[in-house]
Amino acid sequence: MAIPFLAIIGWLIIHAIREGTVLFIQGFVHQHEHPFLFWVLVAAYGASFLGLLRMVIG
C-alpha cells in the first residue's frame, strides 16, 4: 500500500523542482512568489518520501 504513495510523493518532488510549483493545502505555492515556503514544502515532501522508503525497504 505504501508503494503508490511513494510514487506520488516522488512525482510531486520532481514536479516541484522542475516546474517551480508545489502542491499545498490551499493550492499551489510558486517558487518565485514564496521561496522559503516552497523549499520548506519540498523538504517536507522529501522527508515523507524517505520515511516511506524506509518503511518499504524494512
Side-chain angles (χ1 to χ4, degrees):
M1 183 66 183
I3 292 175
F5 289 114
L6 195 62
I8 291 170
I9 294 172
W11 181 82
L12 285 172
I13 292 170
I14 292 169
H15 180 269
I17 293 173
R18 287 182 66 199
E19 301 294 326
T21 58
V22 128
L23 184 62
F24 191 53
I25 296 169
Q26 299 173 346
F28 286 97
V29 174
H30 300 279
Q31 182 180 11
H32 300 293
E33 294 176 9
H34 305 285
F36 180 73
L37 181 60
F38 173 81
W39 288 111
V40 166
L41 291 172
V42 169
Y45 281 160
S48 64
F49 180 82
L50 291 176
L52 277 173
L53 185 64
R54 184 170 184 234
M55 186 176 75
V56 168
I57 291 174

